[in-house]
């Protein structure tokens, strides 16, 4: 997993509420058995018209946001289906972080498992960032995860993140390898648990 | 300290919610100082063909074995055809590759598989309860958001992504962040012809599509106790549509009666022991929840969505709302976009909206009770001209039972297609899809843009209401058809 430390890049505004994972990755892109080929699927119905041509009115089709590294998003981003393809697609499009007021739970976890930083901020901070992201002159921002800060034109914000989630993102940890270091604890727990609940053994 | 732990029982111990008890009983170790993040032992999972392949590839590449193969079940449900003649072939080459790789993975890793020709095949969240694998007090995580369904049994069920499927398969655990607690008390009794689907749709409308984000919901109250298991599953299933990452109902005699003698449920002395322990699974009387929501069941009318988010819903007597009356500019813009997508004008009576498609199916509403309810509406009537209506049973077992009861004839005689089991047009990953602009009365769970087909327009409602809409050719109140005026 790619570590996340200090990243500078372009932020794009996507203020709609309840952007669901069907919109993030439509069903026709879910038919693979690997993680490849999802770049084109991200926001496909918003990015491309029925004829396959890019829609000029979609922010990620326009300069300078075509090269965005961050999205400033609306409430309840990533709701709906558990499909991790939504996160894989964002990463394949070069998106490193999302900033919004709230994220759906499964999506939020999926982001963390793939090194995609999801930052939750109060409404007024998201609005201030969204305003800067909307202007080509101010849309470049810096996210510093070790110091938990976001810097934009005339704006410096601090964000909160759970210590364990932060540590995994900063170090790009392999979660399974880390957990398996506790394999003896798991085995001991399981033995006692199944003994106490013998109908599950 | 979280509020739920703040209450003190008379014995001097900390009063706990049912959710806290389940998490505590499954905590292998704490991962941070205050125990908000834990390594959580997961009892079981169910796997499907479309969210699992990359997890198995990860295991293969790392050379990692499964921790406990017997704690997983595979079922093919998302991409298979629901055509009446069943074959092993998937509707397209990509789906075929997913089904083949899924079978390979189950075989190589020692996981039991219900493939598309298996007599127990069906939608994962219909199959798991009906064979008796969902038991009170368990934690079940699975690669599908509607795993919350299992809360109907007093099981903590929640959806996970593919990376966490891989983590579960390799370690039998997940890195888990404790949730806040939200109790939804539904007092009183539902009016005639009002269903569990209407309760949960009213809740989502009231608290919003992110109203329970970051929370585990516990449902309580007279109206919940009165629900059948099918109704409870509908309720907990759709709790994820307001953001809940778990939805619990304390197990009671209704649960035990449903489980007794199910094929995989405990038997004999183990059954007696299990039930005696299951009776202890409830929130302490003085447990404190982070948030409480109260709903009067008697005030709930049949609900239907008008927009593209599950919280954009209204009672059947209502109208399409006017965005101009919405003060919040962001919400107004979202409403305008939803109405443009749905092809609806403000002020239109919901009962005037004509449909071209009707779909009864999904893990929300395709169990036997749902089909009986819809059949009671349909009996002796015919589908309106110009409407294509489908019934897709939640499992192959539900299909057989419905056929034994003659429900298939009632639907077929009325002009409904009687199909094989699968997720089908709930998410339209197979060949059951809406055309652009087609409007569908649907017993499913999500009315997102494009969910049932690019440009398709979904109105969510109970299966009885879908049946009534199919007969009327427009959205309508099911109560007259149910003899419940």
């Amino acid at each position: 997993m790619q570590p996340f430390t200090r990243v500078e890049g372009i932020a794009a505004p996507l203020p709609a509420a309840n952007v669901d994972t069907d919109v993030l990755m439509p069903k026709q892109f879910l038919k693979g058995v690997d993680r490849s080929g999802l770049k084109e699927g991200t926001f496909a119905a918003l990015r491309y018209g029925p004829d396959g041509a890019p829609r000029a009115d979609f922010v990620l089709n326009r300069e300078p946001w075509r090269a965005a590294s961050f999205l400033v998003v609306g409430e309840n981003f990533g709701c709906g289906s558990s499909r991790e393809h939504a996160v894989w697609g964002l990463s394949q499009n070069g998106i490193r972080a999302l900033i919004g007021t709230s994220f759906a739970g499964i999506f939020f976890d999926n982001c963390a498992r793939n090194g995609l930083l999801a930052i939750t901020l109060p409404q007024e901070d998201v609005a201030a960032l969204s305003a800067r992201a909307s202007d080509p002159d101010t849309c470049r921002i810096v996210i510093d995860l070790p110091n938990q800060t976001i810097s934009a034109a005339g704006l410096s914000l601090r964000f909160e993140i759970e210590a364990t989630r932060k540590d995994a993102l900063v170090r790009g940890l392999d979660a399974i390898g880390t957990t398996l270091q506790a394999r003896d604890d798991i085995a001991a727990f399981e033995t006692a648990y199944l003994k106490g609940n013998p109908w599950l053994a | 300290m979280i509020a739920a732990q703040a209450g003190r029982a008379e014995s001097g111990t900390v009063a706990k919610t049912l959710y806290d008890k389940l998490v505590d009983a499954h905590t292998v170790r704490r991962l941070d100082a205050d125990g908000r993040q834990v390594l959580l032992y997961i009892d079981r999972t169910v796997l499907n063909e479309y969210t699992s392949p990359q997890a198995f590839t990860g295991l293969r590449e790392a050379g990692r074995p499964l921790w406990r193969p017997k704690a997983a079940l595979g079922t093919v449900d998302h991409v298979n055809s629901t055509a009446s003649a069943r074959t092993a072939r998937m509707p397209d080459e990509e789906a075929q590759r997913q089904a083949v790789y899924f079978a390979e993975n189950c075989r190589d890793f020692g996981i039991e598989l219900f493939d598309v020709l298996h007599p127990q095949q069906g939608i994962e969240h219909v199959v798991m309860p009906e064979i008796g694998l969902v038991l009170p007090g368990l934690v079940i995580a699975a690669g599908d958001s509607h795993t919350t369904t299992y809360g109907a049994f007093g099981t903590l069920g929640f959806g996970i992504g593919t990376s966490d499927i891989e983590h579960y398969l390799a370690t039998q655990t997940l890195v888990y962040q404790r949730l806040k607690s939200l109790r939804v008390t539904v007092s009183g009794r539902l009016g005639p012809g009002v269903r569990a689907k209407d309760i949960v749709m009213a809740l989502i409308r009231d608290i919003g599509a992110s109203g329970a984000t970051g929370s585990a919901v516990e449902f309580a109250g007279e109206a919940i106790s009165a629900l059948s298991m099918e109704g409870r599953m509908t309720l907990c299933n759709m709790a994820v549509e307001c953001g809940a990452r778990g939805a619990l109902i304390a197990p009671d005699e209704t649960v035990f009666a449903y489980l007794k003698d199910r094929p995989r449920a405990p038997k004999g002395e183990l059954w007696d022991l299990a039930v005696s322990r299951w009776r202890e699974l409830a929130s302490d009387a003085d447990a404190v929840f982070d948030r409480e929501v109260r709903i009067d069941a008697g005030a709930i009318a049949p609900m239907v969505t008008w927009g593209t988010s599950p919280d954009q819903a209204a009672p059947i007597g209502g109208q399409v709302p006017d965005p101009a009356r919405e003060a919040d500019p962001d919400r107004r813009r979202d409403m305008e976009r939803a109405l443009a997508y749905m092809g609806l004008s403000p002020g239109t009576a919901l009962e005037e909206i004509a449909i071209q498609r009707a779909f009864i199916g999904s893990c929300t509403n395709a169990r036997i009770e749902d089909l009986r309810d819809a059949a009671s509406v349909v009996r002796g009537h015919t589908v309106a001209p110009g409407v294509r209506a489908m019934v897709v049973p939640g499992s192959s077992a539900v299909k057989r039972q419905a056929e034994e009861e003659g429900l298939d004839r009632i639907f077929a005689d009325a002009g409904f297609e009687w199909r094989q089991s699968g997720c089908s047009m709930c998410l339209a990953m197979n060949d059951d899809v809406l055309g652009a602009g087609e409007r569908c009365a649907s017993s499913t769970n999500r009315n997102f843009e494009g969910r049932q087909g690019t440009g398709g327009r979904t109105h969510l409602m109970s299966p009885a209401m879908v049946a009534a809409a199919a007969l009327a050719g427009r959205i309508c109140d099911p109560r007259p058809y149910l003899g419940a005026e």
Side-chain angles (χ1 to χ4, degrees):
Chain A
M1 199 168 85
Q2 186 180 11
F4 193 113
T5 50
R6 183 185 182 279
V7 182
E8 179 174 355
I10 292 166
L14 274 173
N18 303 319
V19 170
D20 58 75
T21 54
D22 275 79
V23 167
L24 274 162
M25 187 60 66
K27 61 187 114 291
Q28 61 269 32
F29 298 95
L30 305 178
K31 295 281 187 72
V33 294
D34 57 27
R35 301 176 193 213
S36 67
L38 294 167
K39 188 174 180 184
E40 294 306 304
T42 299
F43 293 119
L46 301 177
R47 274 164 89 191
Y48 307 106
D51 56 353
R55 291 179 189 269
D57 61 348
F58 186 60
V59 65
L60 295 180
N61 287 336
R62 289 155 52 200
E63 298 297 347
W65 299 284
R66 200 189 294 272
S69 303
F70 314 120
L71 303 178
V72 183
V73 300
E75 179 188 352
N76 198 30
F77 191 81
C79 62
S81 161
S82 64
R83 59 188 71 164
E84 198 164 312
H85 311 65
V87 174
W88 299 333
L90 287 170
S91 293
Q92 287 171 26
N93 279 280
I95 303 298
R96 299 294 314 280
L98 309 169
I99 303 158
T101 55
S102 65
F103 297 89
I106 303 172
F107 178 82
F108 190 66
D109 282 350
N110 287 342
C111 286
R113 307 295 183 250
N114 290 277
L116 182 59
L117 173 62
I119 298 173
T120 305
L121 284 174
Q123 173 61 40
E124 58 269 26
D125 289 346
V126 174
L129 276 172
S130 191
R132 281 161 180 80
S134 302
D135 182 340
D137 293 333
T138 57
C139 67
R140 279 196 87 79
I141 69 171
V142 177
I143 299 179
D144 184 329
L145 178 55
N147 289 308
Q148 297 179 220
T149 58
I150 302 173
S151 310
L155 190 68
S156 181
L157 299 169
R158 185 176 165 76
F159 60 89
E160 298 301 321
I161 181 169
E162 295 101 23
T164 43
R165 195 180 291 262
K166 174 182 170 179
D167 187 50
L169 284 162
V170 168
R171 296 162 63 189
L173 290 178
D174 165 25
I176 297 175
T178 305
T179 295
L180 283 175
Q181 289 172 11
R183 76 165 68 237
D184 292 347
D185 288 356
I186 300 170
F189 175 93
E190 184 171 62
T191 301
Y193 176 82
L194 294 178
K195 196 175 169 205
N197 300 275
W199 59 92
L200 301 175
Chain B
M1 176 173 278
I2 61 170
Q5 292 176 327
R8 297 267 161 191
E10 284 177 18
S11 64
T13 56
V14 177
K16 287 182 180 178
T17 62
L18 175 56
Y19 170 75
D20 287 325
K21 293 179 184 183
L22 295 181
V23 173
D24 288 350
H26 288 79
T27 295
V28 174
R29 62 190 296 196
R30 292 181 167 202
L31 297 177
D32 60 11
D34 58 1
R36 299 295 297 165
Q37 194 177 70
V38 300
L39 190 63
L40 193 71
Y41 185 82
I42 310 298
D43 289 280
R44 286 176 182 163
T45 196
V46 60
L47 300 159
N48 66 54
E49 72 282 10
Y50 108 85
T51 62
S52 72
Q54 299 86 353
F56 283 107
T57 300
L59 293 173
R60 288 176 186 277
E61 289 172 352
R64 286 176 173 139
L66 254 59
W67 185 280
R68 186 170 156 86
K70 67 186 276 193
L73 173 72
T75 179
V76 174
D77 55 5
H78 279 72
V79 305
N80 61 276
S81 166
T82 61
S84 57
R86 196 129 250 203
T87 75
R89 289 299 299 178
M90 296 293 126
D92 58 69
E93 282 312 306
E94 291 171 306
Q96 182 69 17
R97 188 148 25 96
Q98 284 185 328
V100 167
Y101 189 48
F102 191 46
E104 255 177 56
N105 287 326
C106 288
R107 185 194 63 215
D108 293 352
F109 287 90
I111 296 170
E112 182 178 16
L113 169 64
F114 293 170
D115 67 18
V116 76
L117 297 177
H118 194 285
Q120 295 298 129
Q121 179 274 344
I123 306 174
E124 51 190 318
H125 307 312
V126 179
V127 170
M128 285 285 280
E130 78 185 4
I131 63 173
L133 278 176
V134 180
L135 303 174
L138 302 187
V139 175
I140 299 180
D144 187 280
S145 58
H146 291 107
T147 310
T148 53
T149 306
Y150 307 150
F153 294 81
T155 288
L156 178 60
F158 57 93
I160 53 176
T162 303
S163 294
D164 276 349
I165 296 174
E166 184 180 345
H167 191 284
Y168 161 85
L169 291 172
T171 71
Q172 206 62 33
T173 65
L174 291 172
V175 174
Y176 184 77
Q177 195 76 30
R178 271 184 194 266
L179 302 167
K180 290 180 289 185
S181 57
L182 165 62
R183 180 161 58 188
V184 177
T185 304
V186 188
S187 57
R189 292 184 189 179
L190 290 174
V194 183
R195 305 298 185 225
K197 182 72 162 280
D198 301 310
I199 300 178
V200 71
M201 287 181 65
L203 171 69
I204 296 163
R205 189 264 321 260
D206 287 352
I207 71 172
S210 60
T213 295
S215 299
V217 173
E218 180 170 341
F219 288 106
E222 184 188 355
I224 304 301
S225 300
L227 289 175
S228 66
M229 286 315 295
E230 285 85 350
R232 295 180 193 190
M233 284 190 259
T234 298
L235 188 69
C236 292
N237 172 287
M238 241 183 119
V240 72
E241 309 310 336
C242 53
R245 197 83 193 276
L248 290 166
I249 299 173
D252 60 8
E253 297 304 321
T254 303
V255 173
F256 310 146
Y258 176 94
L259 283 174
K260 188 157 175 44
D261 300 325
R262 298 261 160 193
R264 310 286 173 99
K267 303 286 187 303
E269 285 178 16
L270 283 178
W271 168 261
D272 296 336
L273 175 63
V275 171
S276 72
R277 302 277 280 288
W278 294 343
R279 288 187 201 285
E280 298 166 9
L281 292 172
S283 291
D284 293 331
D286 49 354
V288 178
F289 289 78
D290 293 307
R291 189 176 163 210
E292 301 261 10
V293 170
R294 291 182 177 80
I295 295 177
D296 172 12
I300 299 173
M303 297 288 295
V304 57
T305 58
W306 49 263
T308 54
S309 175
D311 57 356
Q312 293 175 323
I316 182 60
Q319 299 173 341
V320 176
D322 187 351
R325 293 190 183 176
E326 173 57 55
D328 180 75
D330 289 338
R331 196 161 297 151
R332 188 186 320 135
R333 188 199 54 229
D334 289 343
M335 285 173 73
E336 285 166 353
R337 179 178 170 89
L339 293 187
Y341 180 86
M342 293 297 290
L344 294 172
S345 306
T348 304
L350 295 171
E351 294 204 64
E352 288 173 11
I353 299 172
I355 60 157
Q356 295 81 46
R357 302 286 294 270
F359 179 72
I360 296 172
S362 84
C363 60
T364 307
N365 274 130
R367 298 184 177 82
I368 189 67
E369 182 183 274
D370 300 315
L371 302 191
R372 287 178 190 141
D373 202 28
S376 76
V377 167
V378 168
R379 188 189 303 270
H381 298 280
T382 52
V383 171
V387 174
R388 181 180 171 197
M390 296 163 55
V391 183
V392 175
S395 71
S396 299
V398 167
K399 178 171 183 284
R400 283 191 298 276
Q401 185 172 350
E403 287 168 354
E404 283 169 19
E405 297 178 16
L407 305 184
D408 58 322
R409 292 313 318 162
I410 294 172
F411 286 116
D413 289 349
F416 280 80
E417 297 172 29
W418 178 253
R419 301 179 71 91
Q420 296 278 355
S421 180
C423 299
S424 181
M425 210 164 68
C426 177
L427 81 168
M429 274 188 77
N430 69 350
D431 49 348
D432 302 331
V433 293
L434 293 183
E438 276 193 312
R439 190 180 298 284
C440 182
S442 185
S443 75
T444 55
N445 43 58
R446 291 185 175 135
N447 51 342
F448 300 158
E449 286 185 20
R451 171 84 176 177
Q452 294 192 294
T454 305
R457 293 162 171 169
T458 304
H459 294 272
L460 303 177
M461 61 191 81
S462 73
M465 197 161 168
V466 173
L471 304 179
R474 58 181 172 78
I475 294 171
C476 65
D477 193 329
R479 286 174 293 191
Y481 292 91
L482 290 162
E485 274 178 290

